[in-house]
Amino acid sequence: MRGRRAAASAIALTAVVGLVLTGCSQQSNTGTSGDAAQAGAGFPETPVPEQVPGKPGGIFRLGITEPTAIDPYNVQESEGSLVAKQLFTGLVQVQPNGDEYPGVAQSWESNDNCTQWTFALKPNQTFSNGEALTSASFKRGWERTSAKASASEVSYHLDQVQGYDEMQAGTAQQLSGVNATDPNSLVVSLKEPNCEFELRTAHPALSPIPTVAGGADNATYNDLPIGNGPFKMDGAWRHDQGIRLVRNDAYTAGEKANLDAVEITITPADTGADTEYNGFRNGQFDWARMPTPVYQQAQAEFDPQGKWLSRKTAGINFLVVNVTKPPLDTVAARKAVSMAIDRAAITAGVFQGGQSPATAFVPPAFPQTYQPGVCDACTFDPERAKQLAQEAGFQPGTEINFQFNTGGGHEEWTAAVRQQIEQNLGIKVNYEGVPFRDLLDNQQSPTVTGISRLAWSADYPTAANFLTPLLATRSIGAASPNDPALGDNRGRYSNPEFDRLMDQASATKDEAQRDDLYKQAEKIAIGDDLALIPMFERQQYRLINTEKFANLGMDFYENPTLETITLK
Amino acid sequence: MGRFITRRVLQGILVVVVAALLIFLATFALGDPFASTGEKAVPPEVAALNRAKFGMDQPLVIQFLHYLGNLFTGDLGIDFDQRRPVTELIGAVLPNTIILGLVAMLFLLLFGVSAGILAAVRRYSFWDALVTVLTTVMIGIPVFVLAIFLVANVSGIGPFPPVPRSFTVEVPWYFDVLLPAFTLAVIEAAFVARLMRGSMLEVLRADYVRTARAKGLPERTVLGRHAVRNSLLPVVTFVGLTLGSYVGGAIITETVFQYNGVGYLLSRAIVNNNAPVIMAVVIYTVIAYVVLSLIVDILYAYLDPRIRLN
């Protein structure tokens, strides 16, 4: 999903078109109730496909919305990642389940306090144009991303590297923290300890780049990137129409892809799910999203055929709470609100069983750190909620502001939340839908109170990617309480103990110990303080053409596992 | 005539400047486009770099003057998303929109004018009633309903490409353009038919038509040379403005058919808050309107000498 501005203000016109299209597909589905999903628990996950030997060849077809960029320097949403991940293989790669495995680097290690990382590269790597790939290719790529002139919106994934600030300020032309003197080894110095830094190198912004790329303003390369991935471009990106990839037969960083080609058709942002669904039905696509109203019918029809894929992914829907301002500046008040919400009823009703209620903040896609039930106030208990409300001093005249963004499909569930809070706590909810820009501005504003909706999905497969940006004091991004919160911690939660645990985790080499520290931190922020209110675990559904293709799964970034797909 | 044109051109430039100001202010009311990627906040330093890159760190007045200056030298800037020149974006889709507009116009004139003439000449006949009923129905259909109906029921069948069609399958342009052009034409053809009928009936009652008939001219000549030509005046205005809207991109039709024209470009730019593209397309549309209404005025003068002499 195009996150960036797709959710932003949509004009009435396109909204109308979208509504009508949804209406049409809804209409054609009346009369088929199908297997009802487990009430309010999300559809069960389908098993991960077993890897079977398959034939090479075939053309895999799917639809995406127009990406912001496929040139690594500015790849930001899942569409851009889908393409960039096929074109570029970084130092480290991520399995669909979040496990890391070697990409171009065959091994990596850090010093004792995790401030210096050394990546040993596989020998004899090349780009698809034949150019040799060495540690200098990574240095080049990272400098290209972090250069001031690039104005990359994702360069901050490099912000822990020494010299990044100077690059952004334009006072340096080289990243001082990256040493590429040995072609087969890349040495990275960090400003602060990070014992999971290698996971960051899986982000496309940290890809290796050949010399032909030039600067980030090289329009030719922007549309026709040359990389070292399992696929390469088959002609330039045809904007708003499509992108065609073909197998890179010279791929050496891992197993060669089996597919001959991937044909990506670009669909409109606001009706993409309908388009893909219809495209799958008429045989145009081998992989498709679908609009929420058809979930049950699609599952009933395609699950028995083995064409239904259901996966809990690394994301969460939650309510931002302004914890520094009344009426939600006490734990009791926040827990009262949370316990007044019947998440199961909402997932069953509004989402057609398509999402699961959340009982933790770190989602189950991180099995090592997932703590179901750590949010003890995430259960629906109107009696307890009333008691807590009394404790918090809620009166019948108490008012809570609740904002959501319009045009993003959040109207129905937020309306249900509002109704439940009002009904179960006997207070007034000032419920307001605003354009996404305004929601963002309001969340950042120092004077705003109450709750608002937000969602988060992982950039890297680590719990820290949830806990730090959304709950750490330094992620508030405000110099004083009277400044706007420019970071992602817009509820302005701050707890020294939580910060201490997170810093300690970041500097802890032992994985099990680190995970334990994450769990302790989550217990404090969510279990004790309920700094924000978890709502639903992110779950994704796709229709997949298993008649023609095998080894077809969903990767960590919710895209098809293109590099493993084979013909049947 | 020369002074008339000069005055109209200057008026046109003023209209463009005022429109530029309005759309400039409107798009800036949308808020900071660089504050976040999706739901994630972009660090303030990175956002500041982007604002600087797009000149948004300047005072609003300077930004506007800068924009206006660039506008008159043909530089529309680069878009927020992919950092491509906006002129290139529009240039890539403009030919498609022009083709769509011309084909739709052809349909419009063919159906609209002939139906209007038929209804007027055979007044109160079956044909007149049929045209009245049909045009009423056609005017009542919202354009997106017709477009969605055609996408759902006609595209993908026979030679008509499915929506969306795979970009690697090349379809002859005439099959690509047929359905959207028909959608665009059919509803406005109803207006043209109505206009033509009314105007024609008025002209048929005029003295010079009676005179022509009295001179014993064949009916074909009476209608063709005298009646139709004079009845076309109000239709020309309407058709001119219609063409303006086509050139500005038939937003709904192009979006539903995913026809890669200016209107589709605009609808995507609005969804993505891509201000430079929104501004450029709107201003381009205003310019198209100004030019077309100028052409309409000149055509008017040509069709009706009285206007020319005044």
Side-chain angles (χ1 to χ4, degrees):
Chain A
M1 272 111 291
R2 173 77 190 283
R4 183 163 179 222
R5 293 181 196 108
S9 65
I11 42 167
L13 166 112
T14 36
V16 164
V17 173
L19 284 175
V20 170
L21 287 180
T22 319
C24 287
S25 32
Q26 242 173 329
Q27 213 168 40
S28 64
N29 294 322
T30 43
T32 44
S33 59
D35 285 1
Q38 297 171 353
F43 293 103
E45 286 189 278
T46 47
V48 175
E50 266 180 47
Q51 295 297 306
V52 293
K55 288 180 294 200
I59 298 171
F60 193 78
R61 301 154 307 158
L62 74 162
I64 64 172
T65 53
E66 175 93 341
T68 300
I70 58 172
D71 181 332
Y73 92 91
N74 203 22
V75 167
Q76 39 191 268
E77 71 296 85
S78 74
E79 279 76 12
S81 299
L82 183 146
V83 180
K85 288 253 170 212
Q86 305 313 317
L87 298 176
F88 294 87
T89 298
L91 293 166
V92 171
Q93 291 184 283
V94 177
Q95 302 272 19
N97 67 2
D99 289 348
E100 61 189 10
Y101 68 103
V104 172
Q106 54 188 354
S107 65
W108 49 90
E109 57 175 2
S110 71
N111 60 358
D112 283 343
N113 65 358
C114 298
T115 52
Q116 192 175 69
W117 282 78
T118 307
F119 296 87
L121 308 194
K122 294 173 183 167
N124 306 321
Q125 295 293 304
T126 57
F127 290 99
S128 61
N129 65 351
E131 181 181 328
L133 190 162
T134 65
S135 56
S137 314
F138 283 98
K139 188 171 160 71
R140 184 183 302 122
W142 296 12
E143 281 165 358
R144 187 171 180 263
T145 296
S146 52
K148 182 185 180 192
S150 303
S152 160
E153 280 155 313
V154 289
S155 62
Y156 61 87
H157 292 297
L158 282 157
D159 62 3
Q160 290 184 321
V161 177
Q162 276 182 20
Y164 170 81
D165 296 333
E166 290 78 3
M167 289 295 288
Q168 285 280 291
T171 56
Q173 301 305 313
Q174 296 204 334
L175 264 175
S176 57
V178 181
N179 182 340
T181 41
D182 175 352
N184 286 319
S185 120
L186 185 75
V187 183
V188 184
S189 305
L190 302 183
K191 290 188 288 194
E192 54 197 282
N194 181 355
C195 294
E196 298 177 318
F197 176 77
E198 86 279 11
L199 291 175
R200 288 195 168 208
T201 68
H203 193 280
L206 279 70
S207 297
I209 294 290
T211 48
V212 291
D217 58 350
N218 179 355
T220 314
Y221 190 81
N222 293 158
D223 285 357
L224 187 58
I226 290 160
N228 65 323
F231 289 88
K232 57 184 180 183
M233 297 290 284
D234 181 25
W237 172 4
R238 289 167 66 178
H239 288 282
D240 307 312
Q241 295 179 58
I243 296 169
R244 196 178 142 92
L245 308 175
V246 291
R247 180 175 53 239
N248 174 14
D249 283 313
Y251 186 58
T252 49
E255 298 246 332
K256 282 190 196 22
N258 294 294
L259 292 171
D260 285 337
V262 180
E263 213 171 273
I264 303 163
T265 299
I266 292 172
T267 63
D270 42 350
T271 56
D274 299 85
T275 308
E276 288 177 30
Y277 178 62
N278 294 332
F280 184 83
R281 299 199 69 118
N282 67 27
Q284 253 180 288
F285 295 134
D286 302 309
W287 169 275
R289 292 179 294 152
M290 68 214 92
T292 307
V294 309
Y295 279 169
Q296 292 197 354
Q297 192 247 345
Q299 192 227 10
E301 179 178 351
F302 292 108
D303 202 359
Q305 302 174 35
K307 294 183 180 172
W308 167 262
L309 190 155
S310 159
R311 182 86 53 245
K312 288 192 174 164
T313 58
I316 194 147
N317 251 301
F318 60 96
L319 300 175
V320 176
V321 186
N322 289 85
V323 298
T324 58
K325 294 237 159 36
L328 295 177
D329 53 346
T330 64
V331 175
R334 297 193 287 271
K335 290 199 168 177
V337 168
S338 180
M339 295 182 95
I341 302 170
D342 187 352
R343 293 168 179 75
I346 296 175
T347 54
V350 178
F351 295 115
Q352 301 274 303
Q355 298 212 13
S356 325
T359 60
F361 181 58
V362 175
F366 300 95
Q368 273 80 33
T369 35
Y370 178 49
Q371 305 186 83
V374 70
C375 172
D376 54 7
C378 284
T379 46
F380 177 53
D381 187 344
E383 289 315 308
R384 180 84 186 109
K386 277 198 193 82
Q387 285 173 11
L388 285 163
Q390 238 172 5
E391 231 173 89
F394 283 6
Q395 311 285 332
T398 303
E399 295 183 11
I400 292 181
N401 295 326
F402 181 15
Q403 286 202 334
F404 69 99
N405 57 302
T406 50
H410 303 295
E411 285 80 358
E412 280 186 294
W413 75 262
T414 51
V417 167
R418 172 217 189 168
Q419 195 203 0
Q420 289 171 351
I421 296 176
E422 288 197 331
Q423 197 178 331
N424 295 326
L425 298 182
I427 56 174
K428 183 165 184 294
V429 175
N430 299 317
Y431 175 69
E432 191 187 8
V434 297
F436 188 54
R437 285 290 137 210
D438 294 347
L439 182 76
L440 217 73
D441 286 348
N442 293 341
Q443 283 174 342
Q444 292 174 334
S445 153
T447 55
V448 74
T449 69
I451 51 179
S452 56
R453 69 124 236 131
L454 201 64
W456 191 261
S457 56
D459 295 304
Y460 325 111
T462 161
N465 190 236
F466 282 77
L467 298 170
T468 304
L470 291 155
L471 294 164
T473 304
R474 62 175 171 163
S475 305
I476 298 174
S480 84
N482 300 320
D483 285 321
L486 297 172
D488 286 310
N489 181 357
R490 296 175 204 151
R492 297 173 190 255
Y493 172 70
S494 174
N495 183 327
E497 182 58 14
F498 174 86
D499 292 340
R500 193 187 62 76
L501 286 167
M502 289 308 291
D503 286 345
Q504 197 185 336
S506 184
T508 300
K509 258 184 137 171
D510 183 89
E511 211 172 312
Q513 262 180 39
R514 192 163 63 220
D515 288 343
D516 189 54
L517 289 164
Y518 288 148
K519 285 183 184 176
Q520 291 178 36
E522 188 192 10
K523 171 78 178 64
I524 291 173
I526 302 299
D528 300 347
D529 293 346
L530 197 66
L532 42 78
I533 302 178
M535 289 300 298
F536 314 111
E537 290 165 355
R538 189 173 168 91
Q539 191 160 358
Q540 290 289 314
Y541 304 97
R542 297 289 185 277
L543 299 174
I544 54 176
N545 183 355
T546 45
E547 241 161 73
K548 195 170 167 194
F549 299 102
N551 301 321
L552 168 51
M554 180 183 277
D555 71 12
F556 187 76
Y557 306 95
E558 303 177 356
N559 289 319
T561 53
L562 294 171
E563 66 283 1
T564 63
I565 298 173
T566 58
L567 276 181
K568 264 200 164 158
Chain B
M1 200 69 184
R3 259 180 58 198
F4 168 74
I5 293 177
T6 316
R7 208 173 64 226
R8 291 302 307 269
V9 168
L10 289 177
Q11 274 175 1
I13 291 175
L14 187 69
V15 169
V16 171
V17 171
V18 171
L21 180 63
L22 289 178
I23 189 65
F24 184 82
L25 293 175
T27 48
F28 274 86
L30 290 175
D32 185 353
F34 301 114
S36 70
T37 60
E39 314 239 346
K40 294 173 187 182
V42 165
E45 305 80 37
V46 176
L49 276 181
N50 273 296
R51 281 193 289 272
K53 188 180 173 86
F54 286 86
M56 289 170 71
D57 50 349
Q58 309 276 329
L60 211 57
V61 182
I62 304 286
Q63 284 185 50
F64 178 65
L65 290 177
H66 191 69
Y67 182 76
L68 212 55
N70 283 346
L71 187 65
F72 283 101
T73 59
D75 177 8
L76 297 173
I78 51 177
D79 80 305
F80 284 163
D81 268 359
Q82 294 160 344
R83 321 274 165 88
R84 285 186 291 158
V86 175
T87 39
E88 202 180 289
L89 291 178
I90 296 182
V93 294
L94 191 55
N96 294 341
T97 288
I98 292 175
I99 290 172
L100 178 63
L102 289 179
V103 175
M105 192 54 56
L106 202 71
F107 282 158
L108 181 66
L109 292 175
L110 213 66
F111 296 138
V113 172
S114 44
I117 295 174
L118 182 71
V121 174
R122 304 239 187 284
R123 196 180 180 188
Y124 300 138
S125 73
F126 165 75
W127 295 108
D128 189 15
L130 184 70
V131 168
T132 309
V133 169
L134 276 184
T135 52
T136 307
V137 171
M138 279 150 66
I139 289 171
I141 300 176
V143 65
F144 69 88
V145 170
L146 180 63
I148 289 169
F149 175 82
L150 290 177
V151 165
N153 295 299
V154 183
S155 65
I157 297 169
F160 299 110
V163 176
R165 70 182 159 83
S166 170
F167 67 105
T168 49
V169 180
E170 298 292 346
V171 178
W173 67 268
Y174 39 88
F175 283 131
D176 216 21
V177 82
L178 228 48
L179 288 181
F182 176 77
T183 308
L184 275 181
V186 75
I187 288 164
E188 273 157 346
F191 282 102
V192 169
R194 288 280 174 94
L195 266 177
M196 191 67 199
R197 178 180 179 272
S199 157
M200 187 89 174
L201 284 176
E202 211 168 289
V203 169
L204 284 176
R205 279 199 304 269
D207 291 344
Y208 58 85
V209 172
R210 199 164 349 129
T211 312
R213 287 205 174 116
K215 279 199 295 187
L217 289 178
E219 189 65 12
R220 178 197 294 262
T221 316
V222 173
L223 290 180
R225 189 169 302 165
H226 297 279
V228 171
R229 182 172 159 176
N230 285 298
S231 314
L232 275 173
L233 272 178
V235 175
V236 165
T237 318
F238 180 80
V239 167
L241 291 177
T242 304
L243 194 61
S245 74
Y246 288 174
V247 174
I251 300 175
I252 298 175
T253 309
E254 288 188 4
T255 304
V256 176
F257 282 97
Q258 293 180 33
Y259 185 85
N260 200 20
V262 176
Y264 188 28
L265 179 72
L266 178 61
S267 91
R268 285 192 319 263
I270 291 173
V271 170
N272 294 337
N273 244 350
N274 204 338
V277 179
I278 302 175
M279 294 204 300
V281 171
V282 171
I283 287 173
Y284 151 79
T285 309
V286 170
I287 293 174
Y289 263 108
V290 168
V291 171
L292 279 166
S293 56
L294 181 65
I295 293 174
V296 166
D297 285 348
I298 295 170
L299 265 183
Y300 241 75
Y302 170 75
L303 284 172
D304 189 344
R306 282 172 302 177
I307 296 170
R308 192 167 19 184
L309 293 174
N310 287 347

